[in-house]
Amino acid sequence: MKRYYIAEIEFPYANDAGEEVIYTVAVSHYYKQDPDPRADSDVDFYGYEESEWDLMEDGKVIPTPDELVEPIEELIREYFEEQKHDY
């Protein structure tokens, strides 16, 4: 079954040999709950983000090394924040 992606973002990364590899971060879900001081839930009070994505190389999904998770999630956050302001 083909997975539907709402965004495909280039992610350049230098591998262990120092060569730049261009991965694709294929995002299938992104949601940001802004903080809401009147919320009943502490999660909604402080706000949160959630995303689901695949790391791809040459069009194929590959396992994501642990050290790339945080930079990829930051890339996704920046991408969608930019999209929000792009009218």
Side-chain angles (χ1 to χ4, degrees):
M1 181 169 121
K2 183 173 167 92
R3 194 164 180 180
Y4 173 74
Y5 297 112
I6 58 174
E8 293 185 7
I9 310 165
E10 269 192 11
F11 178 62
Y13 182 75
N15 64 16
D16 292 338
E19 303 166 331
E20 185 174 76
V21 179
I22 306 293
Y23 295 112
T24 300
V25 177
V27 183
S28 57
H29 171 77
Y30 178 79
Y31 178 76
K32 180 178 180 181
Q33 171 65 50
D34 289 324
D36 181 357
R38 296 171 303 211
D40 294 334
S41 159
D42 63 333
V43 174
D44 291 338
F45 180 86
Y46 292 107
Y48 65 93
E49 289 178 82
E50 58 186 33
S51 61
E52 293 179 22
W53 47 271
D54 292 316
L55 184 63
M56 303 179 83
E57 185 176 24
D58 299 324
K60 296 183 177 140
V61 176
I62 61 170
T64 305
D66 290 340
E67 69 268 12
L68 295 185
V69 171
E70 219 173 290
I72 288 172
E73 289 179 348
E74 179 63 28
L75 176 73
I76 293 168
R77 182 178 305 109
E78 290 172 1
Y79 175 84
F80 281 98
E81 187 65 31
E82 191 175 290
Q83 295 303 310
K84 185 169 96 173
H85 297 291
D86 190 15
Y87 295 94

Coordinates of all heavy atoms in Angstrom, one line a residue:
M1 N 0.8 -1.2 0.0 CA 0.0 0.0 0.0 C 0.9 1.2 0.0 O 1.8 1.4 0.8 CB -0.9 0.0 1.2 CG -1.8 1.2 1.3 SD -3.0 0.9 2.6 CE -2.7 2.3 3.6
K2 N 0.6 2.1 -0.9 CA 1.4 3.4 -1.0 C 1.0 4.3 0.1 O -0.2 4.5 0.3 CB 1.2 4.0 -2.4 CG 2.1 5.2 -2.6 CD 2.0 5.7 -4.0 CE 2.5 7.1 -4.1 NZ 3.9 7.2 -4.5
R3 N 2.0 4.9 0.7 CA 1.7 5.9 1.8 C 1.6 7.3 1.2 O 2.3 7.6 0.3 CB 2.8 5.8 2.8 CG 2.5 6.5 4.1 CD 3.5 6.0 5.1 NE 3.2 6.7 6.4 CZ 3.9 6.6 7.5 NH1 4.9 5.7 7.5 NH2 3.5 7.2 8.5
Y4 N 0.7 8.1 1.7 CA 0.4 9.4 1.2 C 1.3 10.4 2.1 O 1.2 10.3 3.3 CB -1.0 9.8 1.3 CG -1.3 11.2 1.0 CD1 -1.3 11.7 -0.3 CD2 -1.6 12.1 2.0 CE1 -1.5 13.0 -0.6 CE2 -1.9 13.5 1.7 CZ -1.8 13.9 0.4 OH -2.1 15.2 0.1
Y5 N 2.0 11.3 1.4 CA 2.8 12.2 2.1 C 2.3 13.6 1.9 O 2.0 14.0 0.7 CB 4.3 12.1 1.7 CG 4.9 10.8 2.0 CD1 5.3 9.9 1.0 CD2 5.1 10.4 3.3 CE1 5.8 8.7 1.3 CE2 5.7 9.2 3.6 CZ 6.0 8.3 2.6 OH 6.6 7.1 2.9
I6 N 2.2 14.4 2.9 CA 1.8 15.8 2.8 C 2.9 16.8 2.5 O 2.7 17.9 2.1 CB 1.0 16.3 4.1 CG1 1.9 16.2 5.3 CG2 -0.3 15.5 4.2 CD1 1.3 16.8 6.6
A7 N 4.2 16.3 2.7 CA 5.3 17.1 2.4 C 6.5 16.2 2.1 O 6.6 15.1 2.8 CB 5.6 18.1 3.5
E8 N 7.4 16.6 1.2 CA 8.7 15.9 1.0 C 9.7 17.0 1.1 O 9.8 17.9 0.3 CB 8.7 15.1 -0.3 CG 7.7 14.0 -0.3 CD 7.8 13.1 -1.6 OE1 8.7 13.4 -2.4 OE2 6.9 12.2 -1.7
I9 N 10.6 16.9 2.1 CA 11.6 17.9 2.4 C 13.0 17.3 2.2 O 13.3 16.3 2.8 CB 11.4 18.4 3.9 CG1 9.9 18.7 4.2 CG2 12.3 19.6 4.2 CD1 9.7 18.9 5.7
E10 N 13.8 18.1 1.5 CA 15.2 17.7 1.3 C 16.0 17.8 2.6 O 15.8 18.8 3.4 CB 15.9 18.5 0.3 CG 15.8 18.0 -1.1 CD 16.8 18.7 -2.1 OE1 17.6 19.5 -1.6 OE2 16.6 18.5 -3.3
F11 N 16.8 16.8 2.9 CA 17.6 16.9 4.2 C 19.0 16.5 3.8 O 19.4 15.3 3.8 CB 17.0 15.9 5.2 CG 17.7 15.8 6.5 CD1 17.8 16.8 7.3 CD2 18.3 14.6 6.9 CE1 18.5 16.7 8.5 CE2 18.9 14.4 8.1 CZ 19.1 15.5 8.9
P12 N 19.9 17.5 3.6 CA 21.3 17.2 3.3 C 22.0 16.8 4.6 O 21.8 17.4 5.7 CB 21.8 18.5 2.8 CG 20.9 19.5 3.2 CD 19.6 18.9 3.5
Y13 N 22.9 15.8 4.6 CA 23.5 15.3 5.8 C 24.9 14.8 5.4 O 25.0 14.1 4.4 CB 22.7 14.2 6.5 CG 23.3 13.7 7.7 CD1 23.3 14.5 8.9 CD2 24.0 12.5 7.8 CE1 23.8 14.0 10.1 CE2 24.5 12.0 9.0 CZ 24.5 12.8 10.1 OH 25.0 12.3 11.3
A14 N 25.9 15.1 6.1 CA 27.3 14.6 5.9 C 27.4 13.2 6.6 O 27.2 13.1 7.8 CB 28.3 15.5 6.4
N15 N 27.7 12.2 5.8 CA 27.9 10.8 6.3 C 29.2 10.7 7.0 O 30.0 11.6 7.1 CB 27.7 9.8 5.2 CG 28.8 9.8 4.2 OD1 29.8 10.4 4.3 ND2 28.5 9.2 3.0
D16 N 29.5 9.5 7.5 CA 30.7 9.3 8.3 C 32.0 9.5 7.5 O 33.0 9.9 8.1 CB 30.7 7.8 8.8 CG 29.7 7.6 9.9 OD1 29.2 8.6 10.5 OD2 29.3 6.4 10.1
A17 N 31.9 9.4 6.2 CA 33.1 9.7 5.3 C 33.2 11.1 5.0 O 34.1 11.5 4.3 CB 32.9 8.8 4.1
G18 N 32.3 12.0 5.5 CA 32.3 13.4 5.2 C 31.6 13.8 3.9 O 31.7 14.9 3.5
E19 N 31.0 12.8 3.2 CA 30.3 13.1 2.0 C 28.9 13.5 2.2 O 28.3 13.0 3.1 CB 30.3 11.8 1.1 CG 31.7 11.3 0.8 CD 31.6 9.9 0.2 OE1 30.7 9.1 0.6 OE2 32.5 9.5 -0.5
E20 N 28.5 14.5 1.5 CA 27.1 15.0 1.7 C 26.1 14.0 1.0 O 26.3 13.7 -0.2 CB 26.9 16.4 1.1 CG 25.5 16.9 1.5 CD 25.3 18.4 1.1 OE1 25.2 18.6 -0.1 OE2 25.3 19.2 2.0
V21 N 25.1 13.6 1.7 CA 24.1 12.7 1.2 C 22.8 13.5 1.3 O 22.5 14.2 2.3 CB 23.9 11.4 2.0 CG1 22.8 10.6 1.5 CG2 25.3 10.7 2.1
I22 N 22.0 13.5 0.2 CA 20.7 14.2 0.3 C 19.6 13.2 0.5 O 19.3 12.3 -0.3 CB 20.4 14.9 -1.1 CG1 21.5 15.9 -1.4 CG2 19.1 15.7 -1.0 CD1 21.7 17.0 -0.5
Y23 N 19.0 13.2 1.7 CA 17.9 12.4 2.0 C 16.6 13.2 1.8 O 16.6 14.4 1.6 CB 17.9 12.0 3.5 CG 19.1 11.1 3.9 CD1 20.0 11.6 4.8 CD2 19.2 9.8 3.5 CE1 21.1 10.8 5.2 CE2 20.2 9.0 3.9 CZ 21.2 9.5 4.7 OH 22.2 8.8 5.1
T24 N 15.5 12.5 1.8 CA 14.2 13.1 1.7 C 13.4 12.7 3.0 O 13.4 11.5 3.3 CB 13.4 12.6 0.5 OG1 14.1 13.0 -0.7 CG2 12.0 13.3 0.4
V25 N 12.9 13.7 3.6 CA 12.0 13.4 4.8 C 10.6 13.5 4.2 O 10.2 14.6 3.8 CB 12.3 14.5 5.9 CG1 11.3 14.2 7.1 CG2 13.7 14.4 6.4
A26 N 9.9 12.4 4.2 CA 8.6 12.3 3.7 C 7.6 12.3 4.9 O 7.5 11.4 5.6 CB 8.4 11.1 2.8
V27 N 6.9 13.4 5.0 CA 6.0 13.7 6.2 C 4.6 13.2 5.8 O 4.0 13.7 4.9 CB 6.0 15.1 6.6 CG1 5.1 15.4 7.8 CG2 7.4 15.7 6.8
S28 N 4.0 12.3 6.6 CA 2.7 11.8 6.4 C 1.7 12.5 7.4 O 0.5 12.4 7.1 CB 2.6 10.3 6.5 OG 3.0 9.9 7.8
H29 N 2.2 13.0 8.5 CA 1.3 13.7 9.4 C 2.0 14.7 10.2 O 3.2 14.5 10.6 CB 0.7 12.6 10.4 CG 0.0 13.2 11.6 ND1 -1.3 13.7 11.5 CD2 0.3 13.4 12.9 CE1 -1.7 14.1 12.6 NE2 -0.7 14.0 13.5
Y30 N 1.4 15.9 10.4 CA 2.0 16.9 11.2 C 0.8 17.7 11.9 O -0.2 18.0 11.2 CB 2.8 17.9 10.4 CG 3.4 19.0 11.3 CD1 4.5 18.8 12.1 CD2 2.7 20.3 11.4 CE1 5.0 19.8 12.9 CE2 3.2 21.3 12.2 CZ 4.3 21.0 13.0 OH 4.8 22.0 13.8
Y31 N 0.9 17.9 13.2 CA -0.1 18.7 13.9 C 0.6 19.5 15.0 O 1.5 18.9 15.7 CB -1.1 17.7 14.6 CG -2.1 18.5 15.4 CD1 -3.2 19.2 14.7 CD2 -2.1 18.6 16.7 CE1 -4.1 19.9 15.5 CE2 -3.0 19.3 17.5 CZ -4.0 20.0 16.8 OH -4.9 20.7 17.6
K32 N 0.2 20.7 15.1 CA 0.8 21.6 16.2 C -0.4 22.1 17.0 O -1.3 22.8 16.5 CB 1.6 22.7 15.7 CG 2.2 23.6 16.8 CD 3.0 24.7 16.2 CE 3.6 25.5 17.4 NZ 4.4 26.6 16.9
Q33 N -0.4 21.8 18.3 CA -1.4 22.4 19.2 C -0.7 23.6 19.9 O 0.3 23.4 20.7 CB -1.8 21.4 20.2 CG -2.7 21.9 21.4 CD -4.0 22.4 20.9 OE1 -4.7 21.8 20.1 NE2 -4.4 23.7 21.3
D34 N -1.1 24.8 19.6 CA -0.6 25.9 20.3 C -1.0 25.9 21.8 O -2.0 25.4 22.1 CB -1.1 27.2 19.7 CG -0.4 27.5 18.3 OD1 0.7 27.1 18.1 OD2 -1.2 28.0 17.4
P35 N -0.2 26.5 22.7 CA -0.6 26.6 24.1 C -1.9 27.3 24.3 O -2.2 28.2 23.6 CB 0.6 27.4 24.7 CG 1.7 27.3 23.8 CD 1.1 27.1 22.4
D36 N -2.7 26.7 25.2 CA -4.0 27.3 25.5 C -4.2 27.4 27.0 O -4.4 26.4 27.6 CB -5.1 26.4 24.9 CG -6.5 27.0 25.1 OD1 -6.7 28.0 25.8 OD2 -7.5 26.4 24.6
P37 N -4.1 28.6 27.5 CA -4.1 28.8 29.0 C -5.5 28.4 29.6 O -5.6 28.3 30.8 CB -3.8 30.2 29.2 CG -3.9 30.9 27.9 CD -3.8 29.9 26.8
R38 N -6.5 28.3 28.8 CA -7.9 27.9 29.3 C -8.2 26.4 29.1 O -9.3 26.0 29.4 CB -8.9 28.7 28.5 CG -8.8 30.2 28.8 CD -9.7 31.0 27.9 NE -9.3 30.6 26.6 CZ -9.4 31.4 25.5 NH1 -9.9 32.6 25.6 NH2 -9.1 31.0 24.3
A39 N -7.2 25.7 28.6 CA -7.4 24.2 28.3 C -7.6 23.4 29.6 O -7.1 23.8 30.7 CB -6.2 23.7 27.6
D40 N -8.4 22.4 29.5 CA -8.7 21.5 30.6 C -7.5 20.5 30.8 O -7.3 19.9 31.9 CB -9.9 20.6 30.3 CG -11.2 21.5 30.3 OD1 -11.1 22.6 31.0 OD2 -12.1 21.1 29.7
S41 N -6.7 20.3 29.8 CA -5.6 19.3 29.8 C -4.3 20.0 29.9 O -4.1 21.0 29.3 CB -5.7 18.5 28.5 OG -4.4 17.9 28.2
D42 N -3.4 19.4 30.7 CA -2.0 20.1 30.8 C -1.3 20.0 29.5 O -0.5 20.8 29.1 CB -1.2 19.4 31.9 CG -0.9 18.0 31.7 OD1 -1.7 17.3 31.0 OD2 0.1 17.5 32.2
V43 N -1.6 18.9 28.7 CA -1.0 18.8 27.4 C -1.4 19.9 26.5 O -0.6 20.6 25.8 CB -1.3 17.4 26.7 CG1 -0.8 17.3 25.3 CG2 -0.8 16.3 27.6
D44 N -2.7 20.2 26.4 CA -3.2 21.3 25.6 C -2.8 22.7 26.2 O -2.5 23.6 25.5 CB -4.7 21.3 25.5 CG -5.1 20.1 24.6 OD1 -4.3 19.6 23.8 OD2 -6.3 19.7 24.8
F45 N -2.7 22.8 27.5 CA -2.3 24.0 28.2 C -0.9 24.4 27.7 O -0.6 25.6 27.4 CB -2.3 23.8 29.7 CG -1.8 25.0 30.5 CD1 -2.8 26.0 30.8 CD2 -0.5 25.2 30.8 CE1 -2.4 27.2 31.5 CE2 -0.1 26.4 31.5 CZ -1.1 27.3 31.8
Y46 N 0.1 23.5 27.7 CA 1.4 23.8 27.3 C 1.7 23.7 25.8 O 2.6 24.3 25.3 CB 2.4 22.9 28.0 CG 2.5 23.1 29.5 CD1 1.9 22.3 30.4 CD2 3.1 24.3 30.0 CE1 2.0 22.5 31.7 CE2 3.2 24.5 31.3 CZ 2.6 23.7 32.2 OH 2.6 23.9 33.5
G47 N 0.8 23.0 25.1 CA 0.9 22.9 23.6 C 1.8 21.7 23.3 O 2.6 21.2 24.2
Y48 N 1.7 21.2 22.1 CA 2.6 20.1 21.7 C 2.6 20.0 20.2 O 1.8 20.7 19.5 CB 2.1 18.8 22.3 CG 0.7 18.4 21.8 CD1 0.5 17.5 20.7 CD2 -0.5 18.8 22.4 CE1 -0.7 17.2 20.2 CE2 -1.7 18.5 21.9 CZ -1.8 17.6 20.8 OH -3.1 17.3 20.4
E49 N 3.5 19.2 19.7 CA 3.6 18.9 18.2 C 3.7 17.4 18.1 O 4.3 16.7 18.9 CB 4.8 19.5 17.6 CG 4.7 21.0 17.5 CD 6.0 21.6 16.9 OE1 6.2 21.6 15.7 OE2 6.9 22.0 17.7
E50 N 3.1 16.9 17.0 CA 3.3 15.5 16.6 C 3.5 15.4 15.1 O 3.0 16.2 14.4 CB 2.1 14.7 17.1 CG 0.7 15.1 16.5 CD -0.4 14.3 17.1 OE1 -0.4 14.0 18.3 OE2 -1.4 14.1 16.4
S51 N 4.3 14.4 14.8 CA 4.6 14.2 13.3 C 4.9 12.7 13.1 O 5.3 12.0 14.0 CB 5.7 15.1 12.9 OG 6.9 14.7 13.5
E52 N 4.6 12.3 11.9 CA 4.9 11.0 11.4 C 5.6 11.2 10.1 O 5.2 12.0 9.3 CB 3.7 10.1 11.2 CG 3.0 9.8 12.5 CD 1.7 8.9 12.4 OE1 1.6 8.3 11.3 OE2 0.9 9.0 13.2
W53 N 6.7 10.5 9.9 CA 7.5 10.7 8.7 C 8.4 9.5 8.5 O 8.6 8.6 9.3 CB 8.4 11.9 8.9 CG 9.2 12.0 10.2 CD1 8.7 12.6 11.3 CD2 10.4 11.5 10.5 NE1 9.6 12.5 12.3 CE2 10.7 11.8 11.8 CE3 11.4 10.8 9.8 CZ2 11.9 11.4 12.4 CZ3 12.6 10.4 10.4 CH2 12.8 10.7 11.7
D54 N 8.9 9.4 7.2 CA 9.8 8.4 6.8 C 11.1 9.1 6.3 O 11.0 10.1 5.6 CB 9.2 7.5 5.7 CG 8.1 6.7 6.1 OD1 8.2 6.1 7.2 OD2 7.1 6.6 5.4
L55 N 12.2 8.5 6.5 CA 13.4 9.0 5.9 C 13.7 8.1 4.7 O 13.6 6.9 4.7 CB 14.6 8.8 6.9 CG 16.0 9.3 6.4 CD1 15.9 10.8 6.2 CD2 17.0 9.0 7.4
M56 N 13.9 8.8 3.6 CA 14.0 8.1 2.3 C 15.4 8.5 1.6 O 15.9 9.6 1.7 CB 12.9 8.5 1.4 CG 11.5 8.2 2.0 SD 10.2 8.7 0.9 CE 10.1 7.3 -0.2
E57 N 15.9 7.5 0.9 CA 17.1 7.6 0.1 C 16.8 6.9 -1.2 O 16.4 5.8 -1.2 CB 18.3 7.0 0.8 CG 19.6 7.3 0.1 CD 20.8 6.8 0.8 OE1 20.7 5.8 1.6 OE2 21.9 7.3 0.5
D58 N 17.0 7.7 -2.3 CA 16.7 7.2 -3.6 C 15.3 6.6 -3.8 O 15.1 5.5 -4.4 CB 17.8 6.1 -4.0 CG 19.2 6.7 -4.1 OD1 19.3 7.8 -4.5 OD2 20.1 5.9 -3.7
G59 N 14.4 7.2 -3.1 CA 13.0 6.8 -3.2 C 12.5 5.7 -2.4 O 11.4 5.2 -2.4
K60 N 13.5 5.2 -1.5 CA 13.1 4.0 -0.7 C 13.3 4.4 0.8 O 14.2 5.1 1.2 CB 14.1 2.9 -1.0 CG 13.9 2.3 -2.4 CD 14.8 1.1 -2.6 CE 14.5 0.6 -4.0 NZ 15.7 0.2 -4.7
V61 N 12.3 3.9 1.6 CA 12.3 4.2 3.0 C 13.5 3.4 3.6 O 13.8 2.3 3.3 CB 11.0 3.7 3.7 CG1 11.1 3.9 5.2 CG2 9.8 4.5 3.1
I62 N 14.3 4.2 4.5 CA 15.4 3.6 5.2 C 15.3 3.8 6.7 O 14.6 4.7 7.1 CB 16.8 4.2 4.7 CG1 16.8 5.7 5.0 CG2 17.0 3.9 3.2 CD1 18.2 6.3 4.7
P63 N 15.9 3.0 7.5 CA 15.9 3.2 8.9 C 16.5 4.5 9.3 O 17.5 4.9 8.7 CB 16.7 2.0 9.5 CG 16.9 1.0 8.4 CD 16.7 1.8 7.1
T64 N 16.0 5.2 10.3 CA 16.5 6.5 10.7 C 17.5 6.3 11.9 O 17.1 5.8 12.9 CB 15.4 7.4 11.2 OG1 14.4 7.5 10.1 CG2 15.9 8.8 11.5
P65 N 18.7 6.7 11.7 CA 19.7 6.6 12.8 C 19.2 7.6 13.9 O 18.7 8.6 13.7 CB 21.0 7.2 12.2 CG 20.8 7.0 10.7 CD 19.4 7.2 10.5
D66 N 19.4 7.1 15.2 CA 18.9 7.9 16.3 C 19.4 9.3 16.3 O 18.7 10.2 16.7 CB 19.4 7.2 17.6 CG 18.7 5.9 17.9 OD1 17.6 5.7 17.3 OD2 19.2 5.1 18.7
E67 N 20.7 9.6 15.9 CA 21.2 10.9 15.9 C 20.5 11.9 14.9 O 20.7 13.1 15.0 CB 22.7 10.9 15.7 CG 23.2 10.5 14.4 CD 23.5 9.0 14.2 OE1 23.1 8.2 15.1 OE2 24.0 8.7 13.2
L68 N 19.8 11.3 14.0 CA 19.1 12.2 13.0 C 17.7 12.5 13.4 O 17.1 13.4 12.8 CB 19.1 11.5 11.6 CG 20.4 11.3 11.0 CD1 20.3 10.7 9.6 CD2 21.2 12.6 10.9
V69 N 17.1 11.9 14.4 CA 15.7 12.1 14.8 C 15.4 13.6 15.1 O 14.5 14.2 14.6 CB 15.2 11.1 15.9 CG1 13.8 11.5 16.4 CG2 15.2 9.7 15.4
E70 N 16.2 14.1 16.1 CA 16.0 15.5 16.5 C 16.2 16.5 15.4 O 15.4 17.4 15.2 CB 17.0 15.8 17.7 CG 16.3 16.6 18.7 CD 17.2 16.8 20.0 OE1 17.4 15.8 20.7 OE2 17.7 17.9 20.2
P71 N 17.3 16.4 14.6 CA 17.4 17.4 13.5 C 16.3 17.3 12.5 O 15.9 18.3 11.9 CB 18.8 17.0 12.9 CG 19.5 16.2 13.9 CD 18.5 15.6 14.7
I72 N 15.8 16.1 12.2 CA 14.7 15.9 11.3 C 13.4 16.5 11.8 O 12.7 17.2 11.1 CB 14.5 14.4 10.9 CG1 15.7 14.0 10.0 CG2 13.2 14.2 10.2 CD1 15.7 12.5 9.8
E73 N 13.2 16.3 13.1 CA 12.0 16.9 13.7 C 12.0 18.4 13.7 O 11.0 19.1 13.5 CB 11.7 16.3 15.1 CG 11.2 14.9 15.0 CD 11.0 14.2 16.3 OE1 11.4 14.7 17.3 OE2 10.4 13.1 16.2
E74 N 13.2 19.0 13.9 CA 13.4 20.4 13.8 C 13.2 20.9 12.4 O 12.5 22.0 12.2 CB 14.8 20.8 14.3 CG 15.1 22.3 14.3 CD 14.2 23.1 15.2 OE1 13.7 22.6 16.2 OE2 13.9 24.3 14.8
L75 N 13.7 20.2 11.4 CA 13.5 20.5 10.0 C 12.0 20.6 9.7 O 11.5 21.5 9.0 CB 14.2 19.5 9.1 CG 14.0 19.7 7.6 CD1 14.8 20.9 7.1 CD2 14.5 18.4 6.9
I76 N 11.2 19.6 10.2 CA 9.8 19.5 9.9 C 9.1 20.7 10.6 O 8.2 21.3 10.0 CB 9.2 18.1 10.4 CG1 9.8 17.0 9.6 CG2 7.7 18.2 10.4 CD1 9.5 15.6 10.2
R77 N 9.5 21.0 11.8 CA 8.9 22.1 12.5 C 9.1 23.4 11.8 O 8.1 24.2 11.6 CB 9.5 22.2 13.9 CG 8.9 23.3 14.8 CD 9.6 23.3 16.2 NE 9.5 22.0 16.9 CZ 10.5 21.1 17.1 NH1 11.7 21.4 16.7 NH2 10.3 20.0 17.7
E78 N 10.3 23.6 11.3 CA 10.6 24.9 10.6 C 9.9 24.9 9.3 O 9.4 26.0 8.9 CB 12.1 24.9 10.3 CG 12.9 25.2 11.6 CD 14.4 25.1 11.4 OE1 14.9 24.8 10.2 OE2 15.2 25.3 12.4
Y79 N 9.8 23.8 8.6 CA 9.1 23.7 7.3 C 7.6 24.1 7.4 O 7.1 25.0 6.7 CB 9.2 22.3 6.7 CG 8.4 22.1 5.4 CD1 8.9 22.5 4.2 CD2 7.1 21.6 5.5 CE1 8.2 22.3 3.1 CE2 6.4 21.4 4.3 CZ 6.9 21.8 3.1 OH 6.2 21.7 2.0
F80 N 6.9 23.5 8.4 CA 5.5 23.8 8.6 C 5.3 25.2 9.1 O 4.3 25.9 8.8 CB 4.8 22.8 9.4 CG 4.5 21.5 8.5 CD1 5.4 20.4 8.6 CD2 3.4 21.5 7.7 CE1 5.1 19.3 7.8 CE2 3.2 20.4 6.9 CZ 4.0 19.3 6.9
E81 N 6.2 25.7 10.0 CA 6.1 27.1 10.5 C 6.2 28.1 9.3 O 5.5 29.0 9.2 CB 7.2 27.4 11.5 CG 7.0 28.7 12.2 CD 5.7 28.8 13.0 OE1 5.2 27.8 13.6 OE2 5.2 30.0 13.1
E82 N 7.1 27.8 8.4 CA 7.3 28.6 7.2 C 6.1 28.6 6.3 O 5.7 29.6 5.7 CB 8.6 28.1 6.4 CG 9.0 29.0 5.4 CD 10.3 28.5 4.7 OE1 11.3 28.6 5.4 OE2 10.3 28.1 3.6
Q83 N 5.5 27.4 6.1 CA 4.3 27.2 5.3 C 3.1 28.0 5.9 O 2.3 28.5 5.1 CB 3.9 25.7 5.2 CG 4.9 24.9 4.5 CD 5.2 25.4 3.1 OE1 4.3 25.6 2.3 NE2 6.5 25.5 2.8
K84 N 3.1 28.1 7.2 CA 2.0 28.8 7.8 C 2.0 30.3 7.5 O 1.0 30.9 7.4 CB 2.1 28.6 9.3 CG 0.9 29.2 10.1 CD 1.0 28.7 11.6 CE 1.7 29.8 12.4 NZ 1.7 29.4 13.9
H85 N 3.2 30.8 7.3 CA 3.4 32.2 7.0 C 3.5 32.5 5.5 O 3.7 33.7 5.1 CB 4.6 32.8 7.7 CG 4.4 32.7 9.2 ND1 3.5 33.5 9.9 CD2 5.0 31.9 10.1 CE1 3.6 33.2 11.2 NE2 4.5 32.2 11.4
D86 N 3.4 31.5 4.7 CA 3.6 31.7 3.2 C 2.2 31.8 2.5 O 1.6 30.8 2.2 CB 4.4 30.5 2.7 CG 4.8 30.7 1.2 OD1 4.8 31.8 0.8 OD2 5.2 29.7 0.6
Y87 N 1.8 33.0 2.4 CA 0.4 33.2 1.8 C 0.5 33.5 0.3 O 1.2 34.2 -0.2 CB -0.3 34.4 2.5 CG -0.5 34.1 3.9 CD1 0.4 34.4 4.9 CD2 -1.6 33.4 4.3 CE1 0.1 34.1 6.3 CE2 -1.9 33.1 5.6 CZ -1.0 33.5 6.6 OH -1.2 33.1 7.9

